[in-house]
Amino acid sequence: MGVKLVSASGGSVEINPPATASSFIATMPAGTGNVVVNGVNGALVSATAVASTSGTSIDFTGIPSWVRRITVMFSGVSTNGSSSPMIQLGTSGGVQTSGYACTSSSVNAGTAGVTAYTTGFTIRAGNAATSLIGFLTLSLVDSTNGTWSCSGSLGDTGTTSTYTVGGVRVLSGTLDRVRITTVNGTDAFDAGSINIMYE
């Protein structure tokens, strides 16, 4: 037998049990909040933007276990060197620095190139004048084995280039952090800001 909640204005919410011998959990927020069904949160959550003006890496930690998609957003991001920027995934055991299958292409004034990478989801940019704008999307492909994919395109107002990224990484645990750094790990960020949204 189902449960039906009716408001004074005539609206209603109806919850019916599954037809088979199974169960589900529905958590409804009081006032404002998020709806959580079977442990999956329906919210689109924005983290706090971080100025990418110093340091060799930027970490976003504390990502909830229910997250299935993360958008990494770049606004005028630049470094002081020629090493390509990249995204790395992490679990409670730390950031994963190998085992990625990634390719990235670049187009600059009609000249195209493609490079494969294994240390992160890498943006094929290599110029201190680079100023990245746009976003890359991380998606959970298979929750049973922790497979995450990365895809997206970015523009570069500093060198009038465009970049496309595609890749995959299997994690041995639950993703709870994302790092933005460079391939050599020593070039420092010197302009722009980075943020993430997750759902």
Side-chain angles (χ1 to χ4, degrees), residues 2-34:
V3 176
K4 187 172 185 178
L5 308 176
V6 181
S7 70
S9 60
S12 64
V13 174
E14 187 169 351
I15 301 175
N16 292 302
T20 58
S22 58
S23 62
F24 65 94
I25 299 172
T27 304
M28 308 297 289
T32 60
N34 306 319

Side-chain angles (χ1 to χ4, degrees), residues 60-70 87-94 96 100 121 138-140 146-149 169-179 196 198:
F60 291 91
T61 59
I63 298 172
S65 60
W66 51 260
V67 169
R68 298 296 183 267
R69 181 163 55 190
I70 303 168
I87 297 171
Q88 294 176 321
L89 310 181
T91 67
S92 59
Q96 308 300 300
Y100 295 81
F121 299 131
L138 307 171
S139 302
L140 182 60
T147 301
W148 285 83
S149 69
R169 176 63 161 86
V170 178
L171 295 178
S172 58
T174 301
L175 183 145
D176 69 355
R177 67 197 69 189
V178 171
R179 170 172 291 175
I196 66 170
Y198 54 81

